[in-house]
Amino acid sequence: MSKFRGAAAIVGIGQTPYYKRATSPEPEVKLALRAITAAADDAGIDVRDINGFVSYASERSDPAKLMPALGTREVKFASLVWFHGGGLPATLNIATAAIMAGQADVVAVYRSMAESSSQRLRVIVAQNDTSSQYLVNGLDSPAQILALRAQRMMEFHGVPQSALYATVQASYYHAKNNPRAYGRNTEMSAEIYNNARMISEPYRLFDCSRENDAAGCVLVVSAERAKDLKQKPAYILSAPMGTMEGGGALEENWRPYYATAGQTELAERMWRESGYGPKDVDVAQIYMNMNSMGIGAMLDHGFFAMEDAGAFCTFDNLTAPSGKLPINTSGGDLGEGFIHGFGLVPEAVRQVRGTSPNQVPGAKLSLVTGGPGDLMSSTALLGSEETL
Amino acid sequence: MAYSFEQHKIVGAIAADDDYWRGLEDGVFKLPRCDRCKTWTWPAHFRCGHCGSWDFEWVALEPKGKIFTWTRTQYAFDRVLERKEDVPYVTIVAEIPEANGARVMGLLKGDESGLRIGADVRGTIDPPSAKSKFYPSIRWNIER
Ligand SMILES: [Zn+2]
């Protein structure tokens, strides 16, 4: 049995409101402070006792900036996960490993983003490592680059537009019940979806995630410590990270899995380590930088085969409370708001606690997947005490 | 000869493909093959992951391929604003059978009819220009 499985748990969550990009009344660092202090309050932990800090990608609110304002007693561990949104669930891996190795006791996992303090998210996420092969040929943003994969998924593998639309419909349906959701008042219908402007074909506007200003944080402690705190713990059963053979910085030369999310081997490792499989999952928060990539993530996790994507991805199957696989129950990256996917983690925790705005009754196993198609990605399975 | 792209180098990525751009500026389409084990290595890199050799031969090829995938950009994105007036434009990823299916990006040249995955394309080389960030570029024409 893996020593990692269930060794640590998420015991606190904190989120600022989602603001329209570039309109946050507060700068990035202040948003980070708000999310971290809210997570500490939620957990019933003195914020000064946080001694580990973990984030990912281009996060700039580093612990050096935060500790004077948090009153941090000592930073004992700090780490940033490579690369982009693929690093999201891997933060839980790093936090758990640090706790297991005795390097930290209370780890804040967080992400903060305010365009007014930095620059356009889609520019900053690129971290200036986009190769000349793309830029010379008119390709800059993730929307365009992932559109190449979506085109292959749809035209070559035959995944229908209806599957993409179902993810949009489910996201906005869930957002309506979530007072935090930036898209809670956005009306959605097939007509609105189809008539929205094209961004980079085959993606229409609503196939793409938003960009928002906001911050979020979750607190990770040992399973032992989690028992004595205020909230019902969400145990981290597995949170593998990695890139499979045939991946890496290969500029559209990934083989053999081009059109999906590059998460097949990650998912297999997660099922092995957790002892569960796709049929056991109650609810899933699927990272959707672009929705076809999220469909790729569900494929890679074994929820359905490529030829069944159209039949599986329907509004009924993807929505709470009783769909086969309710996804993005806070509205997710499309409907709730987007700060590099971070909102998916607190929502996965709420499902285990039983406090989601779109609760799946009795949810015990809660999945959160990382940025699909990223150069390195990760995925995580959270569970209630009875899943240990 | 001073190459245009060398004066406007895009930095930050692996960028082992200088000989690709030199080739295009000289009017030749070249891709790298390991000197020792003959594995095509694309995108270019500094060491052959198969055999450990550090040496590559840049092989001149006929620019003939098949469309692997494509997208039509309908929005002027921040870092490629030079192409603003060309929106919408189509970028093609073409598989080069002669180089073990290496996939090479380039803009569509000419009319769009027959644009589909699997269609045959032939490349022509555009000289450096502001639109291609002062790099030369391969443009894919659909063969009919
Ligand atoms: Zn070799």
Side-chain angles (χ1 to χ4, degrees), chain A residues 214-233:
Chain A
C217 174
V218 300
L219 290 190
V220 181
V221 301
S222 70
E224 196 179 15
R225 184 157 182 177
K227 288 194 182 79
D228 306 324
L229 294 168
K230 251 164 75 181
Q231 307 289 354
K232 181 179 175 185

mmCIF file of all heavy atoms in Angstrom, chain A residues 214-233:
data_model
loop_
_atom_site.group_PDB
_atom_site.id
_atom_site.type_symbol
_atom_site.label_atom_id
_atom_site.label_comp_id
_atom_site.label_asym_id
_atom_site.label_seq_id
_atom_site.Cartn_x
_atom_site.Cartn_y
_atom_site.Cartn_z
ATOM 1 N N ALA A 214 -8.565 37.141 -9.257
ATOM 2 C CA ALA A 214 -9.040 36.488 -8.028
ATOM 3 C C ALA A 214 -7.863 35.767 -7.390
ATOM 4 O O ALA A 214 -6.767 35.709 -7.965
ATOM 5 C CB ALA A 214 -10.155 35.491 -8.320
ATOM 6 N N ALA A 215 -8.107 35.209 -6.202
ATOM 7 C CA ALA A 215 -7.113 34.336 -5.581
ATOM 8 C C ALA A 215 -7.852 33.236 -4.842
ATOM 9 O O ALA A 215 -9.016 33.396 -4.446
ATOM 10 C CB ALA A 215 -6.222 35.107 -4.619
ATOM 11 N N GLY A 216 -7.158 32.115 -4.683
ATOM 12 C CA GLY A 216 -7.717 30.992 -3.940
ATOM 13 C C GLY A 216 -6.611 30.288 -3.179
ATOM 14 O O GLY A 216 -5.428 30.394 -3.539
ATOM 15 N N CYS A 217 -7.013 29.593 -2.103
ATOM 16 C CA CYS A 217 -6.036 28.886 -1.283
ATOM 17 C C CYS A 217 -6.687 27.662 -0.658
ATOM 18 O O CYS A 217 -7.871 27.704 -0.307
ATOM 19 C CB CYS A 217 -5.520 29.819 -0.171
ATOM 20 S SG CYS A 217 -4.431 29.004 1.024
ATOM 21 N N VAL A 218 -5.942 26.578 -0.534
ATOM 22 C CA VAL A 218 -6.367 25.462 0.316
ATOM 23 C C VAL A 218 -5.217 25.136 1.260
ATOM 24 O O VAL A 218 -4.047 25.314 0.910
ATOM 25 C CB VAL A 218 -6.786 24.191 -0.483
ATOM 26 C CG1 VAL A 218 -7.960 24.500 -1.406
ATOM 27 C CG2 VAL A 218 -5.622 23.600 -1.260
ATOM 28 N N LEU A 219 -5.554 24.692 2.458
ATOM 29 C CA LEU A 219 -4.531 24.347 3.450
ATOM 30 C C LEU A 219 -4.427 22.836 3.584
ATOM 31 O O LEU A 219 -5.445 22.146 3.714
ATOM 32 C CB LEU A 219 -4.872 24.933 4.822
ATOM 33 C CG LEU A 219 -4.772 26.433 4.997
ATOM 34 C CD1 LEU A 219 -4.897 26.786 6.478
ATOM 35 C CD2 LEU A 219 -3.473 26.997 4.431
ATOM 36 N N VAL A 220 -3.189 22.350 3.572
ATOM 37 C CA VAL A 220 -2.923 20.915 3.680
ATOM 38 C C VAL A 220 -2.152 20.647 4.976
ATOM 39 O O VAL A 220 -1.175 21.349 5.282
ATOM 40 C CB VAL A 220 -2.102 20.428 2.463
ATOM 41 C CG1 VAL A 220 -1.834 18.924 2.557
ATOM 42 C CG2 VAL A 220 -2.823 20.747 1.155
ATOM 43 N N VAL A 221 -2.641 19.648 5.736
ATOM 44 C CA VAL A 221 -1.933 19.213 6.956
ATOM 45 C C VAL A 221 -1.895 17.681 6.964
ATOM 46 O O VAL A 221 -2.553 17.032 6.134
ATOM 47 C CB VAL A 221 -2.621 19.720 8.255
ATOM 48 C CG1 VAL A 221 -2.713 21.240 8.278
ATOM 49 C CG2 VAL A 221 -3.996 19.091 8.420
ATOM 50 N N SER A 222 -1.191 17.107 7.923
ATOM 51 C CA SER A 222 -1.143 15.639 8.022
ATOM 52 C C SER A 222 -2.535 15.098 8.376
ATOM 53 O O SER A 222 -3.348 15.787 9.013
ATOM 54 C CB SER A 222 -0.142 15.220 9.091
ATOM 55 O OG SER A 222 -0.655 15.550 10.364
ATOM 56 N N ALA A 223 -2.772 13.848 8.006
ATOM 57 C CA ALA A 223 -4.064 13.217 8.298
ATOM 58 C C ALA A 223 -4.326 13.215 9.801
ATOM 59 O O ALA A 223 -5.459 13.406 10.247
ATOM 60 C CB ALA A 223 -4.072 11.792 7.744
ATOM 61 N N GLU A 224 -3.280 13.023 10.551
ATOM 62 C CA GLU A 224 -3.406 12.982 12.002
ATOM 63 C C GLU A 224 -3.920 14.320 12.548
ATOM 64 O O GLU A 224 -4.858 14.367 13.345
ATOM 65 C CB GLU A 224 -2.027 12.657 12.581
ATOM 66 C CG GLU A 224 -2.061 12.216 14.009
ATOM 67 C CD GLU A 224 -0.660 11.885 14.502
ATOM 68 O OE1 GLU A 224 0.340 12.274 13.830
ATOM 69 O OE2 GLU A 224 -0.567 11.248 15.556
ATOM 70 N N ARG A 225 -3.284 15.384 12.080
ATOM 71 C CA ARG A 225 -3.681 16.723 12.537
ATOM 72 C C ARG A 225 -5.082 17.092 12.036
ATOM 73 O O ARG A 225 -5.829 17.799 12.721
ATOM 74 C CB ARG A 225 -2.645 17.732 12.039
ATOM 75 C CG ARG A 225 -2.889 19.118 12.518
ATOM 76 C CD ARG A 225 -1.620 19.928 12.491
ATOM 77 N NE ARG A 225 -1.878 21.267 13.003
ATOM 78 C CZ ARG A 225 -0.946 22.180 13.151
ATOM 79 N NH1 ARG A 225 0.306 21.893 12.850
ATOM 80 N NH2 ARG A 225 -1.260 23.361 13.609
ATOM 81 N N ALA A 226 -5.419 16.606 10.838
ATOM 82 C CA ALA A 226 -6.696 16.960 10.216
ATOM 83 C C ALA A 226 -7.883 16.550 11.089
ATOM 84 O O ALA A 226 -8.924 17.213 11.090
ATOM 85 C CB ALA A 226 -6.806 16.301 8.839
ATOM 86 N N LYS A 227 -7.727 15.474 11.827
ATOM 87 C CA LYS A 227 -8.833 14.927 12.636
ATOM 88 C C LYS A 227 -9.343 15.908 13.692
ATOM 89 O O LYS A 227 -10.502 15.865 14.069
ATOM 90 C CB LYS A 227 -8.377 13.647 13.343
ATOM 91 C CG LYS A 227 -8.207 12.471 12.392
ATOM 92 C CD LYS A 227 -8.104 11.165 13.169
ATOM 93 C CE LYS A 227 -7.898 9.992 12.243
ATOM 94 N NZ LYS A 227 -6.494 9.858 11.776
ATOM 95 N N ASP A 228 -8.435 16.764 14.189
ATOM 96 C CA ASP A 228 -8.799 17.639 15.302
ATOM 97 C C ASP A 228 -9.250 19.030 14.869
ATOM 98 O O ASP A 228 -9.422 19.900 15.712
ATOM 99 C CB ASP A 228 -7.595 17.797 16.247
ATOM 100 C CG ASP A 228 -7.074 16.443 16.692
ATOM 101 O OD1 ASP A 228 -7.920 15.550 16.888
ATOM 102 O OD2 ASP A 228 -5.845 16.278 16.805
ATOM 103 N N LEU A 229 -9.390 19.253 13.573
ATOM 104 C CA LEU A 229 -9.720 20.599 13.114
ATOM 105 C C LEU A 229 -11.222 20.745 12.859
ATOM 106 O O LEU A 229 -11.989 19.800 12.974
ATOM 107 C CB LEU A 229 -8.888 20.938 11.876
ATOM 108 C CG LEU A 229 -7.376 21.046 12.198
ATOM 109 C CD1 LEU A 229 -6.562 21.084 10.929
ATOM 110 C CD2 LEU A 229 -7.093 22.271 13.064
ATOM 111 N N LYS A 230 -11.604 21.999 12.484
ATOM 112 C CA LYS A 230 -13.012 22.366 12.384
ATOM 113 C C LYS A 230 -13.792 21.612 11.295
ATOM 114 O O LYS A 230 -14.950 21.283 11.456
ATOM 115 C CB LYS A 230 -13.081 23.860 12.040
ATOM 116 C CG LYS A 230 -13.563 24.740 13.177
ATOM 117 C CD LYS A 230 -13.240 26.210 12.914
ATOM 118 C CE LYS A 230 -14.126 26.880 11.885
ATOM 119 N NZ LYS A 230 -13.725 28.289 11.681
ATOM 120 N N GLN A 231 -13.146 21.413 10.142
ATOM 121 C CA GLN A 231 -13.873 20.922 8.961
ATOM 122 C C GLN A 231 -13.679 19.427 8.745
ATOM 123 O O GLN A 231 -12.681 18.850 9.173
ATOM 124 C CB GLN A 231 -13.375 21.660 7.706
ATOM 125 C CG GLN A 231 -13.421 23.168 7.812
ATOM 126 C CD GLN A 231 -14.835 23.719 7.780
ATOM 127 O OE1 GLN A 231 -15.809 23.000 7.562
ATOM 128 N NE2 GLN A 231 -14.962 25.022 8.022
ATOM 129 N N LYS A 232 -14.610 18.874 8.011
ATOM 130 C CA LYS A 232 -14.485 17.483 7.576
ATOM 131 C C LYS A 232 -13.309 17.409 6.589
ATOM 132 O O LYS A 232 -13.321 18.104 5.570
ATOM 133 C CB LYS A 232 -15.793 17.093 6.878
ATOM 134 C CG LYS A 232 -15.833 15.669 6.380
ATOM 135 C CD LYS A 232 -17.196 15.384 5.728
ATOM 136 C CE LYS A 232 -17.189 13.987 5.130
ATOM 137 N NZ LYS A 232 -18.412 13.688 4.380
ATOM 138 N N PRO A 233 -12.294 16.593 6.875
ATOM 139 C CA PRO A 233 -11.124 16.585 5.989
ATOM 140 C C PRO A 233 -11.418 15.963 4.617
ATOM 141 O O PRO A 233 -12.222 15.037 4.514
ATOM 142 C CB PRO A 233 -10.108 15.702 6.738
ATOM 143 C CG PRO A 233 -10.658 15.494 8.110
ATOM 144 C CD PRO A 233 -12.140 15.669 8.015
#
